[in-house]
Amino acid sequence: MISVTGAQAAITCNAGRRLAAYHCSRTSAQHHHSLTAGAVVQQHLLLKRTDMVHRIIEWSLRNRFIVLVMSAALFAWGIFAVKKNPIDAIPDLSENQVIVFTEWMGRGPQLIEDQVTYPLVTNLQGLPRIKYVRGASMFGMSFIYVIFNDDVDIYWARERVLERLSTVARTLPTGVTPQLGPDGTGVGHILWYTLDAPGMDLGEQRALQDWYIKFALQNVEGVSEIASFGGFQKQYQITVDPNKLLYYRLSVAEVMSAIRTNNNESGGRKFELSDIGYIIKTSGYLKSVAEIENIPVKTQNSIPIRIADVAAVQMTGETRLGIFDQDGRGERVGGIVVMRYGENADAVIDKVKAKMKEVSKGFPEGVKFDIVYDRGALIKESVDSIRHTLIEEMIVVSVVVIIFLFHWRSALSIIIQIPITLAASFILLNAFGISSNIMSLTGIALAIGVIVDNGIIMSENAYKHLAERYALWEAQQKRK
């Protein structure tokens, strides 16, 4: 019984081995068949691609004039793209952001954070296609940075933020109005200037900057904002004496109300007298320190109590958080030219300088511009350096190709590819919104060697096949 069982087990084991071997061989055959089928498909696709390349080459050789015309048209289009491509010294890698600026002077950072920054950040987080929202609070000011996706149009993003601000503004404290920052980028500061005015004080220089220069330069095409800095912003300052307020039984609110109501202008109506029409209006804007001092606050025992009786009025500058000093020679007043998003930095700088020459004609005697930072010089030096490098590389590559091929027609066909390819590359730069800067032009310079490689390989291959066929033809002729 035991021996029979052992034999059965042996038979079963042998049968299992044969069955496993059969399955293994069948699986291997299927796998080999699938691999063979895949190789056939790949070879078929390769043959189709090779056949397509052969047809393109054959068509090009049979229609040389059409190929030359197409190449000339591509080169002309590339030259046009070179002229239209914006030029800058450095690439703009800044984020696609919209800045919301809110001013609430006299308040501390914590109060600004709680009542201005936090409500704005929480409400702006629900905008579509944004990455994140950043907030920063400081004394009297709040900054919100709304970062959108890179493929979002900047003006579409500004519209979305503006729509949301119209509903959020109602939740902010009275008198607090958020506003959008300029439509510029992190590299938008293209020119800084100061005023060289030895005969004017800082207040007069700041007034000249804010009320004459700023408005003129803002009209230049491509300029987003003129940010003023330095000097004193003139204002009427009223310093109230608390003892006098207590003596006359007045409050600060009453003094503020009296000044506000007297600094106003309103219109009446039109009436006719002797066939002549007259327009009635009141002129109540305050224009001097004396007018402010004579404003009545209240009347006691038929005697008016004026502003001069309870406060001191003077013309002074707004409280400053810092100064601008140039080269250690003292304070200066000036401005920063901020370029609009997507503009040509080199062209905008040239337009601003032309406008500055026109504006300077209206300056008081002895006043002139002093340019502190000019990216135009950096742009010209950078682009000229890269341009010279490109020309040198083209010459060197052409000489090397001529020497190694030692066949002027083959070398000419390869050298022609360099300017055509460089011109065509600017078409793609314009299509993708990339400016001509150090990075993009350096990449083109590095690619010159790769541009000629293909032409050299094709020329050598064609020359080799022609030489082989010519040798075969000579052998056949000798046999005859």
Side-chain angles (χ1 to χ4, degrees), residues 16-27:
R17 289 175 182 174
R18 293 194 190 103
L19 185 60
Y22 170 74
H23 283 295
C24 182
S25 61
R26 185 177 179 182
T27 304

Side-chain angles (χ1 to χ4, degrees), residues 57-112:
I57 295 174
E58 182 181 359
W59 183 89
S60 301
L61 292 174
R62 294 182 183 276
N63 302 275
R64 300 178 184 177
F65 179 75
I66 297 177
V67 173
L68 291 176
V69 171
M70 292 174 62
S71 300
L74 183 64
F75 182 71
W77 186 12
I79 294 298
F80 178 77
V82 170
K83 296 181 179 179
K84 291 295 183 182
N85 188 254
I87 302 174
D88 205 342
I90 51 179
D92 187 2
L93 302 177
S94 58
E95 294 177 309
N96 198 7
Q97 68 177 5
V98 177
I99 301 175
V100 180
F101 169 69
T102 310
E103 191 175 16
W104 197 20
M105 297 307 296
R107 275 71 176 184
Q110 187 61 47
L111 185 60
I112 294 288

